[in-house]
Amino acid sequence: MQLIQESSSVRNLIYAISMFISFAVASVDIFAQDYTLVINNGRVIDPETGLDDIRHLGIKNGEITSVSATPLDADNLIDARGLVVAPGFIDLHTHTSTPLGQYYQLFDGVTTALELEAGAYPVASYGGEISDTPLINFGASAGYAGIRVFKKDGLRGIQSGGLPEVSGLKGWGTLLRVLFLGQREALSRSFMEAASAQELVELEVMLNQSLDNGALGIGMALDYISEAVKLEELRMVFQVAGQRRLPVFVHIRRGINGDPSGLREVLALARETGAPLHICHITHNAMKNIELFLTEIQHAQASGVDVTTELLPFNAGSAFISAAVFHRDWQTIFDIDYSDVQWAETGEWLTEERFKHFQETEPNGPVIHHYLKEAWTQRALIEPGVMIVSDALAMNSKEAKVPPHNGAFTKILGRYVREEQIIDLPTAIAKMSLLPAKRLEGFAPAFKRKGRIQPQMDADLVIFDPNTVINQATYLNPYQEAKGISHVIVNGVHLVKDGELQPETYPGQRLMANTVQSQRYE
């Protein structure tokens, strides 16, 4: 995985410069007392400089203006004594740009939630439900599956969410359901038919246009469109990424449990084209061969390939019962049987008869298929550079249950840091904040100011109790806020105060690459 490459001497220099700036700013501002918010007495952890000590933060105009060794003053004060102050968590892989989804991600410490695996097309249509009332920051990659839908099936009319109605569904949720539900008959050309030479030219134009419009890289949910996308088309996508130095966020083609063919395909293309590459949910693709997958990624990095990966810290997959994978030989692919699958709505463990019954009568229902081992998750977690994501499915209403991925980040803090002591707290925070920011900052200037606690950085912060923080959502009761999140600040706004959401407050922003929204970050 990509490591933070600074030597200790360079890190010390960065820290010294940061402290000099903060003390200088504090000496000027401490008497002015014009901060909009001050956080005193917290254990401040900045993964970039290595700061892990008691500090006092001054916030003004949406940014951190002071990191002080002495207490600051303001009308609005947070006493963070006994609490950890960390950069807000950045989720690179979520599918829940809904009001309910943003709420639960906020209480998981997430201040920026991005749809980078499936992406969106048109990218500006992403987040239609929350675009005017975002609690947290949001954004999307250029969704290649969406581009294919527009091209191959001629779906160019735009509804509120950016996609036309298909099978009674509207908006961006339409394509997500096609991807994850397996309703591919509604869009058969998009998901089953190879592109012609002329279509390849047109698809490339559409992809570049989406990137010109500020998409955060390219979202390639390849496993879901595997039958249609041949090597020539996939190479075209990687060539565009290589020319523009933008990452491809790819869900690789998945074979039987542990098959590395899909990984090797995209690593070879990244090496050939120079495209940055990000492998989605590594354990859910590698399964029993996690050691081999990590080793091959290490070797690729050593040879100069710009490749990173991520971990979803749950030992099950979540999909709709009519997803494409369940129309393949899924028992062999996952090395499980019907008895390893749960109906999410009730927690019922299924038999072959019940599985087929639900597949026919309730194709929109989510299931939980338990096919990962805890040892695989722990192995990926300790690998340097592996980032943490949620892969949260869309939360539309509390009546429609989804797997409890809204607790991904607090699960890391509570279980794997405090209880299991598999990784230390600063390392975990880096995996959830700085490393995602660094993955994006080369082409999206907004992220140069995120994932850090330093003067002039964005005031996206999470404050939690390290002794109590834990996820509480379960497969049977997914709609539960995490425990131990005391305060969340988004763009300088105190959004969660003493564990309570402040009403009618929407400080989130749409984040895009090379757009007006990002210019203030340059």
Side-chain angles (χ1 to χ4, degrees):
M1 308 309 102
Q2 281 194 333
L3 300 173
I4 302 174
Q5 299 291 342
E6 299 94 339
S7 66
S8 59
S9 60
V10 173
R11 287 171 60 86
N12 289 338
L13 177 61
I14 292 173
Y15 177 75
I17 292 172
S18 173
M19 289 301 98
F20 174 80
I21 293 171
S22 66
F23 285 132
V25 171
S27 66
V28 173
D29 286 355
I30 190 170
F31 301 108
Q33 299 185 5
D34 59 351
Y35 305 114
T36 54
L37 178 65
V38 160
I39 304 167
N40 281 333
N41 305 311
R43 176 187 171 186
V44 174
I45 297 180
D46 175 40
E48 185 167 62
T49 62
L51 172 64
D52 183 356
D53 208 344
I54 302 302
R55 288 292 185 270
H56 316 274
L57 305 183
I59 296 168
K60 184 178 180 180
N61 296 329
E63 68 178 35
I64 299 165
T65 57
S66 294
V67 181
S68 173
T70 56
L72 304 174
D73 194 17
D75 290 337
N76 297 315
L77 284 172
I78 297 174
D79 185 356
R81 196 181 312 270
L83 304 177
V84 171
V85 183
F89 306 143
I90 300 170
D91 188 354
L92 297 179
H93 185 164
T94 180
H95 306 296
T96 187
S97 60
T98 65
L100 200 61
Q102 285 220 322
Y103 173 84
Y104 282 103
Q105 290 220 269
L106 176 67
F107 278 92
D108 200 26
V110 175
T111 56
T112 299
L114 307 172
E115 166 60 274
L116 301 184
E117 181 209 29
Y121 185 81
V123 67
S125 72
Y126 179 71
E129 289 187 65
I130 49 91
S131 58
D132 294 328
T133 55
L135 294 172
I136 60 179
N137 303 313
F138 65 103
S141 64
Y144 191 74
I147 292 172
R148 244 184 166 273
V149 166
F150 271 58
K151 181 65 209 165
K152 296 288 287 184
D153 280 292
L155 299 180
R156 297 179 179 273
I158 296 190
Q159 301 280 348
S160 60
L163 280 173
E165 185 172 355
V166 176
S167 300
L169 302 168
K170 293 183 179 180
W172 184 241
T174 302
L175 182 57
L176 289 181
R177 285 183 177 272
V178 170
L179 281 174
F180 303 129
L181 266 170
Q183 294 178 328
R184 297 181 301 169
E185 67 278 2
L187 301 169
S188 58
R189 296 186 69 234
S190 303
F191 286 82
M192 303 299 292
E193 184 180 283
S196 67
Q198 181 58 37
E199 285 173 332
L200 279 179
V201 172
E202 295 168 354
L203 286 164
E204 182 176 357
V205 169
M206 295 170 71
L207 178 57
N208 274 298
Q209 288 174 339
S210 188
L211 296 171
D212 289 341
N213 289 333
L216 296 171
I218 301 170
M220 192 70 184
L222 180 59
D223 192 46
Y224 297 99
I225 52 177
S226 188
E227 293 94 335
V229 176
K230 308 305 179 186
L231 182 59
E232 181 183 11
E233 184 174 355
L234 188 58
R235 179 177 286 111
M236 177 273 288
V237 173
F238 273 75
Q239 286 172 339
V240 170
Q243 291 162 3
R244 303 182 69 131
R245 302 302 302 167
L246 300 173
V248 183
F249 298 88
V250 64
H251 180 161
I252 64 175
R253 302 186 207 263
R254 183 157 46 190
I256 63 172
N257 192 320
D259 181 3
S261 300
L263 174 67
R264 291 169 178 169
E265 175 184 49
V266 294
L267 286 175
L269 286 170
R271 186 176 290 109
E272 173 189 331
T273 63
L277 173 64
H278 184 85
I279 307 294
C280 295
H281 42 47
I282 185 69
T283 52
H284 288 63
N285 288 317
M287 294 179 267
K288 66 182 180 183
N289 254 341
I290 184 62
E291 195 67 50
L292 174 65
F293 274 57
L294 292 173
T295 297
E296 296 208 2
I297 290 173
Q298 292 167 2
H299 290 166
Q301 290 173 336
S303 69
V305 177
D306 181 3
V307 55
T308 53
T309 191
E310 65 185 34
L311 169 68
L312 162 65
F314 291 92
N315 298 328
S318 54
F320 297 101
I321 198 166
S322 291
V325 69
F326 292 123
H327 293 283
R328 305 179 202 162
D329 183 6
W330 58 269
Q331 291 101 321
T332 301
I333 291 172
F334 295 120
D335 193 22
I336 58 174
D337 205 345
Y338 293 99
S339 59
D340 297 301
V341 181
Q342 276 184 291
W343 185 244
E345 184 67 24
T346 62
E348 176 187 355
W349 293 91
L350 301 184
T351 63
E352 180 176 2
E353 179 183 7
R354 292 290 284 167
F355 184 95
K356 292 180 177 178
H357 166 76
F358 284 126
Q359 199 170 52
E360 180 179 347
T361 61
E362 298 189 51
N364 293 8
V367 293
I368 304 132
H369 46 305
H370 298 263
Y371 65 95
L372 290 103
K373 308 295 185 186
E374 177 64 17
W376 306 345
T377 297
Q378 294 188 15
R379 174 62 188 91
L381 180 59
I382 65 173
E383 182 73 8
V386 172
M387 304 169 209
I388 306 302
V389 300
S390 73
D391 195 9
L393 289 181
M395 301 179 205
N396 294 306
S397 73
K398 292 186 178 181
E399 287 68 42
K401 291 185 179 180
V402 296
H405 297 175
N406 53 292
F409 296 87
T410 45
K411 181 177 182 179
I412 293 291
L413 296 172
R415 178 172 181 182
Y416 295 113
V417 173
R418 184 180 65 248
E419 296 175 1
E420 302 286 344
Q421 299 182 17
I422 293 170
I423 57 173
D424 61 37
L425 184 56
T427 298
I429 288 173
K431 287 173 175 286
M432 299 189 287
S433 58
L434 179 64
L435 293 183
K438 290 176 75 68
R439 193 60 179 120
L440 300 175
E441 67 182 21
F443 65 95
F447 291 91
K448 294 178 181 178
R449 294 169 54 102
K450 296 191 181 298
R452 292 107 162 155
I453 300 182
Q454 301 165 34
Q456 301 182 353
M457 298 295 111
D458 287 344
D460 289 346
L461 301 164
V462 57
I463 303 174
F464 60 89
D465 185 342
N467 298 311
T468 62
V469 66
I470 194 67
N471 63 308
Q472 297 195 106
T474 67
Y475 286 108
L476 297 185
N477 189 6
Y479 295 109
Q480 298 188 75
E481 297 92 342
K483 182 180 178 182
I485 299 293
S486 303
H487 304 270
V488 184
I489 294 94
V490 179
N491 294 312
V493 176
H494 196 179
L495 188 56
V496 173
K497 184 176 183 179
D498 295 321
E500 298 291 333
L501 177 66
Q502 301 306 290
E504 302 302 318
T505 307
Y506 306 103
Q509 298 176 2
R510 182 188 296 274
L511 299 179
M512 304 177 78
N514 303 318
T515 63
V516 173
Q517 290 97 321
S518 297
Q519 285 179 358
R520 73 182 185 90
Y521 297 99
E522 296 179 324

